[in-house]
Amino acid sequence: MRTAVIAPNQNARIRYRVPPNHTIEFDVKADHGVKTYIMRPEGLELFDSGAKTFKYYGGFQDPPRRHHNQELILPFDGHWYLVIVNPSNHTVEVEYEVSF
């Protein structure tokens, strides 16, 4: 598993290419509750601009949780992002793994 340290009210974003079979699985473990999103580049642009609505294809948002695990089929080609959001006022350490 890879590790990331996410500052308060910040996020980590990891870019991947959609695999040929379009199936991905991710596992995220954090020492405090975080939110996760699976997004295309266009959704990430909206997210970054502060839009309240943007398209995402998976993940867990509310309530923030310490463990996220999901397998899903992406209905598109190209690149996708695993976005891990720290909504708290303290630093969070996160371990994450993505498999195809």
Side-chain angles (χ1 to χ4, degrees), residues 78-99:
H79 290 96
W80 64 278
Y81 290 86
L82 168 60
V83 179
I84 306 168
V85 178
N86 176 8
S88 70
N89 291 324
H90 53 274
T91 300
V92 173
E93 185 171 333
V94 177
E95 292 182 332
Y96 64 94
E97 184 171 23
V98 173
S99 54

Side-chain angles (χ1 to χ4, degrees), residues 2-99:
R2 295 181 178 225
T3 303
V5 176
I6 306 172
N9 299 303
Q10 297 296 312
N11 65 75
R13 60 211 38 212
I14 306 95
R15 183 179 132 168
Y16 298 94
R17 179 168 288 287
V18 175
N21 68 1
H22 292 259
T23 302
I24 65 161
E25 182 176 1
F26 69 92
D27 190 52
V28 173
K29 295 176 183 165
D31 60 354
H32 294 284
V34 295
K35 299 179 180 189
T36 54
Y37 298 92
I38 302 300
M39 289 190 240
R40 295 179 78 170
E42 298 83 1
L44 187 58
E45 286 178 22
L46 288 170
F47 175 82
D48 285 343
S49 73
K52 297 294 181 198
T53 57
F54 50 88
K55 189 165 189 172
Y56 56 92
Y57 295 86
F60 301 96
Q61 294 77 45
D62 291 314
R65 18 169 117 177
R66 294 175 65 177
H67 185 219
H68 303 237
N69 182 270
Q70 187 175 30
E71 182 177 337
L72 52 124
I73 298 172
L74 299 176
F76 55 87
D77 291 311
H79 290 96
W80 64 278
Y81 290 86
L82 168 60
V83 179
I84 306 168
V85 178
N86 176 8
S88 70
N89 291 324
H90 53 274
T91 300
V92 173
E93 185 171 333
V94 177
E95 292 182 332
Y96 64 94
E97 184 171 23
V98 173
S99 54

